[in-house]
Amino acid sequence: MTDTFVLLLLGGCALTVAQDFKRTIIAIERPTTQGEYMFLRGGSTSGRRIPIRHNVRPVDKTSFFAQTSKGDATLTWSSYENGQGVYRKGGIVRSAEGTPMMWTTNDESFSTNVDTDGAGYWELNTEGGSYWAVDIDMDCSATPGGWFAFKGYMIDLYRYKSEWEGSYINQYSCDVNGTRVNIPGAQSWNHYGICGYFNIVRWNDGRCMAEKVAVVEQFVEAIKSPSPPEFIAEI
């Protein structure tokens, strides 16, 4: 989806800037315990914030994800965004610490699910349990060459602790559509993803996999509705 904005400059001249929003998914694998929640922080490879739109809006508006994703409009290295929602429940009040992520599993029998509860079973999780994910439309025009940088930030609601990912992730390349690709200008302390892709990494681990979101969607549909073997082989 492309949006066009007109910026008025000094002297009355106008500059038209086209935004290019594409569905982008980031998943970080990390086992967690009750009360722990993960946020995503990041930006372009030059450090600029990136406009985003959340695709998941849970039915349960009191869930942690629903409350903290409200008003979250950019991927940035900062914590709380002006106008962003605050989590309030059971006497706990906690400001957002970045872009909230959802705990997901591929277990269909799990008691909660992403669409209703903002956490739990998610059909696009084909990997397993303990994958923290965010499903957004990202402005690819703000990502040089399509790449962006990110890290996970973990909080504990009950113990009032927080934790960044480490400084030595060492992700200098990524498996993109089955091909190893070097990441331009990569720094040791960040993860990197591609706008318009399903990006999967592990906490404090340099391994990375990226697949076009459309391909993942097709694969999931093939699993849900059994298709001829040749269709699955093409994916």
Side-chain angles (χ1 to χ4, degrees), residues 193-211:
I194 309 177
C195 191
Y197 279 67
F198 194 131
N199 304 275
I200 301 177
V201 299
R202 292 185 174 91
W203 181 273
N204 280 338
D205 193 310
R207 287 172 290 182
C208 159
M209 182 176 71
E211 195 80 44

Side-chain angles (χ1 to χ4, degrees), residues 1 8 21 25 28 34 39-40 69 72 82 85 89 105 119-121 132 142 173 184-185 189 193 218 220:
M1 181 184 297
L8 294 179
F21 283 92
I25 298 171
I28 302 177
Q34 186 176 6
F39 289 89
L40 191 72
S69 62
D72 179 35
N82 287 336
K89 194 171 185 179
T105 178
Y121 170 69
W132 289 87
S173 62
W189 51 84
Q218 290 173 357
V220 170

Side-chain angles (χ1 to χ4, degrees), residues 22 28 54 70 78 82 84 106 113 125 129 144 150 154 181 183 193 210 220 222 225 229 235:
K22 293 181 181 177
I28 302 177
H54 283 276
K70 183 179 180 181
S78 302
N82 287 336
Q84 189 170 354
N106 64 344
N113 66 76
N125 179 346
F150 66 92
M154 184 71 65
V181 175
I183 301 169
V220 170
S225 304
I235 297 174

